Amino acid sequence: MPAHTAALRHLLSDFRLAVLKELKNATTPQEKVISLIDACLADDQFSDEIVSAWLIFYAYSQNSMEARKLLQVYVRRLQSNLRYYLRPLCGHKTEEAAEVVGSLIDGIFIRQALRIEKADANYARTLVKECIQPYLARN
């Protein structure tokens, strides 16, 4: 179990660094939201190793309290970042928008990861960005 936990922590640490790198050049709230999407659905997130690690992480968290806590850290961080950057764009719809964006990211990642063909990260990013336009266009 500790080896699994160390691997999960490493996955989250690498992911955190990728998000920070992506956010570095974004200045506006809209750019920050787009950067989060780009980091979550980056090409390297769809490598066989990373896809396997995330899918194992999701499955393992169903039976391991420690893995579940780590997964909750990921979910809380993503939602917190989304709420923070969406608030100026969405106002009273911030919670809804953050939940939609987070769900789209996770759902499209899983769907793309489980394809028989190679995952299409660009398509995944574009689809999420197009789906959230109504929220971003409100201001």
Side-chain angles (χ1 to χ4, degrees), residues 1-14 60 66-67 70:
M1 305 293 177
H4 284 91
T5 303
L8 298 177
R9 288 183 190 281
H10 182 73
L11 178 68
L12 289 175
S13 177
D14 285 353
Y60 189 55
E66 194 166 357
L70 288 173

Side-chain angles (χ1 to χ4, degrees), residues 43-113:
D43 292 344
D44 65 333
Q45 289 296 311
F46 289 99
S47 72
D48 290 342
E49 298 82 19
I50 300 295
V51 165
S52 294
W54 277 107
L55 294 177
I56 289 167
F57 189 6
Y58 289 135
Y60 189 55
S61 71
Q62 298 301 302
N63 297 315
S64 165
M65 186 56 72
E66 194 166 357
R68 185 174 301 149
K69 287 178 183 176
L70 288 173
L71 186 58
Q72 288 172 345
V73 167
Y74 156 74
V75 170
R76 280 196 303 268
R77 280 186 189 158
L78 179 59
Q79 289 306 110
S80 175
N81 283 325
L82 288 169
R83 281 192 304 271
Y84 182 78
Y85 297 125
L86 286 166
R87 189 165 284 112
L89 303 168
C90 299
H92 73 282
K93 291 283 195 174
T94 298
E95 292 295 326
E96 175 185 312
E99 185 65 27
V100 167
V101 176
S103 296
L104 284 169
I105 288 169
D106 289 342
I108 290 172
F109 174 82
I110 290 170
R111 183 158 291 193
Q112 284 293 308

Side-chain angles (χ1 to χ4, degrees), residues 112-124:
Q112 284 293 308
L114 296 176
R115 288 174 45 149
I116 294 172
E117 308 87 27
K118 181 163 176 35
D120 186 342
N122 187 53
Y123 172 74

